[in-house]
């Protein structure tokens, strides 16, 4: 499986930092969506901007399909692109959004033989109550989606390594990757229902993902296994003006989680020939 180049992910983070806050809807959100869509279109993705209304305003999801693979067996990966209005949201969720962009570009570059169709989503209005992912599930439906993988906050500055425990097989795939790099994980407990996997799970889709922690405090035991600072939040700048790049993103965690996502995607969707490894 590919090693996702972290320097490319951080280049996307720099771009998002220069745009500034991306609340949904806003000119910042549109600029960020336009940046990501442009890269995906150039790489050969079929992209679609899905408009929806919430709270009297029009919001947008970006959906990108990689041509190929059986259309009725889909592996979907998603991350919310909107930030709160208080800050530029570089960990929440520039981290997941930029990692998914680079994973999508890596898939396009390698162009492996696929056993599943692969679809990526960048959600709008997550911060307003998971509105974009909810809209997608309600209007596009989940027929054929065999797994949904969510990436929301994957580069917290004082990181933990939390794996969603919603589906045992997906959980094990992420844990297999972390075992291979000798990083211990914990079960993600804080996030149940708090991000865009929830509408998929509620519709009966198997969901998985990784998370490096938000406002919760890192314990002494967690600092002993992961490094960083005990007695401090995983992300002291959660939903604040100081959620910036580079200050508020841990690039080691960012890199590991992007590689974990690639590992799981390849396990789920890529044919088994050596040339595709
Ligand atoms: N969805 C939360 C947010 O965007 C972050 C979060 C993700 C919290 C996963 C817990 C688990 O603010
Ligand atoms: Zn948030
Ligand atoms: Zn988030």
């Amino acid at each position: 499986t590919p090693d996702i180049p972290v320097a490319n992910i951080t280049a996307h983070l720099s771009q998002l930092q220069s745009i500034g806050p991306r609340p949904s809807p806003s000119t910042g959100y549109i600029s960020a969506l336009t940046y990501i869509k442009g890269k995906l279109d150039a790489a050969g993705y079929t992209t679609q901007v899905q408009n929806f209304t919430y709270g009297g305003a029009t919001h947008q999801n970006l959906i990108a399909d990689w041509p190929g693979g059986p259309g009725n067996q889909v592996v979907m990966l998603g991350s919310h692109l909107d930030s709160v209005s208080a800050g530029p949201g570089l960990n929440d969720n520039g981290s997941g959004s930029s990692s998914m962009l680079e994973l999508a570009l890596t898939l396009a570059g390698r162009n492996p033989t696929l056993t599943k169709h692969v679809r990526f989503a960048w959600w709008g209005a997550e911060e307003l109550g998971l509105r974009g992912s909810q809209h997608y599930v309600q209007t596009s439906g989940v027929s054929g989606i065999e797994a949904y993988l969510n990436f929301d906050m994957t580069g917290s500055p004082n990181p933990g390594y939390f794996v969603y425990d919603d589906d045992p097989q997906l959980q094990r795939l992420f844990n297999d990757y972390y075992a291979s790099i000798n990083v211990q994980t914990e079960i993600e407990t804080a996030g149940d229902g708090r991000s865009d996997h929830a509408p998929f799970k509620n519709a009966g889709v198997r969901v998985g993902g990784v998370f490096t922690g938000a406002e919760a405090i890192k314990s002494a035991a967690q600092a002993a296994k992961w490094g960083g600072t005990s007695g401090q939040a995983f992300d002291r700048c959660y939903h604040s003006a100081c959620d910036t790049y580079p200050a508020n993103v841990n690039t080691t965690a960012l890199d590991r989680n992007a590689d974990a996502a690639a590992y799981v995607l390849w396990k789920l969707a890529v044919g088994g020939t050596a040339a595709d490894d």
Side-chain angles (χ1 to χ4, degrees), residues 189-225:
T189 51
D192 281 11
R194 278 183 65 186
S195 191
D196 297 297
H197 54 297
F200 286 87
K201 184 179 183 179
N202 292 337
V205 178
R206 297 161 48 199
V207 303
V210 291
F211 171 61
T212 52
E215 73 278 23
I217 305 296
K218 184 179 273 188
S219 71
Q222 289 171 328
K225 66 174 152 188

Side-chain angles (χ1 to χ4, degrees), residues 86-134:
L90 267 294
N91 183 37
D92 183 13
N93 184 31
S95 59
S97 292
S98 298
S99 297
M100 287 305 104
L101 172 57
E102 198 53 35
L103 176 55
L105 298 179
T106 301
L107 180 70
R110 296 241 178 170
N111 195 15
T113 303
L114 293 173
T115 59
K116 307 289 178 189
H117 181 77
V118 180
R119 180 177 302 146
F120 291 90
W122 286 263
W123 305 119
E126 187 270 354
E127 300 288 8
L128 304 180
L130 319 179
R131 304 300 167 184
S133 50
Q134 214 164 67

